[in-house]
Each structure stands twice: as structure tokens, then as C-alpha cells.
Amino acid sequence: MIIDAHGHVHDPVEDHIALLDEAGAGRAVLFATRPHPERAADLASLQREMDVLSRSLGGQANALGSYEVAWAEHAAALAAYPDRFIGFLSVPLDMSGEEIAAMVERDVAAAGLHGIGELTPPPGRAALVEPVLRAARDHRLPVVVHGSAPTTADDLETLAGLACRYPGVPLVVSQLGGAHWMRAIELVRDTPNMYLELSTAPIVFAVRVAIAEIPDRTLFGSDAPYGDPVLARMTVERVTPPGETRDRVLGGTLAELLGL
């Protein structure tokens, strides 16, 4: 099965299903989202949606109440297409460790979701992820952390250090680490419980090198609606010959990780 390891709720959700069908992807990991760039009809409306994204990634809109609409959309999409979407839930990072543990227990583990993410710590503050890793360890859940801008090179180093402290928790860095993709490849290669998701790669060669260095821990993903599942799959297939490695990247590794 081909599994897109990185997708966000679309409006309408049927547009997302159509993209997955076109890409030949049977399932997709689904994250909640506050911005909806796919709604934009012109540059001005796109700028408004991207401003929401910038504020969210910068830690300016992480109050618990700001998540509620996104969580409701996410729950509705999972309910509408339970055989297509694999639910991951983000956790506000400004809560206490006890609150995070309770939320992971109640809203992720007990709810039957498959993991936690996509976490978006503000730049320079990746250490905020630690209480989530602690809670994830108790439930054997993978954790996905935003890897592109504004994530810094130091943030990636911090994430690798945290992964070493919680070796039982699969920690996925998304978007190939963004501009810091070469260092991300090194860190993931050298940290056995880290994985690298390949969406929105800055150059095709980055995908080629990542798969060559970490063939068993690289994951096909599109970051739809910011990326396109068809193009993301084509990129993986362009840099890998048919066979076991390509099959693992396109879904086999993730299926194994999630016990699907």
C-alpha cells in the first residue's frame, strides 16, 4: 500500500481524497490545520491564510482555544473516511507536562489515533517537545515535528538529542528538515529512532541523498495542500528504481511503524 505520510485537512475533504486517488495512495496520515490555503481564490486571500500559518508556526496562536475549530474539522474528516485517513493529533506545547500527558491519554491513545503531530514549536524552542515525547513513550506512539522554516538548525540538533533520551519513541522530522536538509539527513541517519519525511524537498537531489543514506527510515509525504501527492510520489520514483527500497519509502516503512 502507498501511504502519504503527511497531509492536512482539506476544505472540502473530498478534494483531498481525489488527490490521493490520482496519486494511487491508499491512505494518508492526516493532521489538523488552522490555515486553509486551498480555499484561497486570489493572492490577497492566500496571503491571509499564509499569515495564519506564519503566526501558528511562530508560536503566536497556540492557545488551546485556537485549536478547537481545527480539531473539529479533523475529527469530521476522519469520521467521513476512516479507511483512507490515519489520524494524528497535535498537542498545544504551552500546556504543563501533566496536561499534555492527560491529553495524549484521552484524545490520542484512548481515541484510537495513531500518533501525535504535526507539532510546531516556535523557532529556537524545540525543547518544548520533551513532555510530548514522555507521554508518547507511555503509549508507544510516534511523534511528528515540523521540520521546515521557521525550524532552525539548532532545533534539529535539539530534536536529535531528545530522540536519544527517548529511544522508544519514533520521532519523525517532516519536510526533510527544510533548508537544513543535509544536517537533518545526518542527524536522522545517526539516531536510530528518528525518521525523515520527504515532502516539499528544496531540490530533487535532497530526496535522492536522503533515501540513499536512510533507506529504511525515509517516508514519502506530500504535505498536501502545500505539496501535491502526485508530484511527491513521482519524485520518489524518479530517484529510486523499482524494488524493496522504493516500496518501503512509499508506504512499507510507515505501515510497519504504525502496525497497519
Side-chain angles (χ1 to χ4, degrees), residues 4 19 22-23 220-233:
D4 184 343
L19 288 172
E22 188 178 2
F220 152 67
S222 69
D223 198 6
Y226 302 94
D228 186 290
V230 173
L231 298 180
R233 177 180 175 178

Side-chain angles (χ1 to χ4, degrees), residues 241-254:
E244 181 180 358
T245 295
R246 179 192 284 184
D247 291 345
R248 288 190 65 85
V249 174
L250 288 177
T253 295
L254 185 58

Side-chain angles (χ1 to χ4, degrees), residues 187-260:
L187 291 169
V188 173
R189 181 195 62 198
D190 297 338
T191 312
N193 58 315
M194 290 186 78
Y195 294 74
L196 193 58
E197 185 267 311
L198 302 171
S199 65
T200 61
I203 54 176
V204 173
F205 193 72
V207 177
R208 184 193 307 276
V209 173
I211 294 172
E213 292 287 330
I214 328 163
D216 293 332
R217 287 182 286 122
T218 41
L219 308 174
F220 152 67
S222 69
D223 198 6
Y226 302 94
D228 186 290
V230 173
L231 298 180
R233 177 180 175 178
M234 289 174 62
T235 300
V236 170
E237 292 179 340
R238 182 69 172 170
V239 301
T240 57
E244 181 180 358
T245 295
R246 179 192 284 184
D247 291 345
R248 288 190 65 85
V249 174
L250 288 177
T253 295
L254 185 58
E256 184 179 279
L257 180 63
L258 299 179
L260 302 178

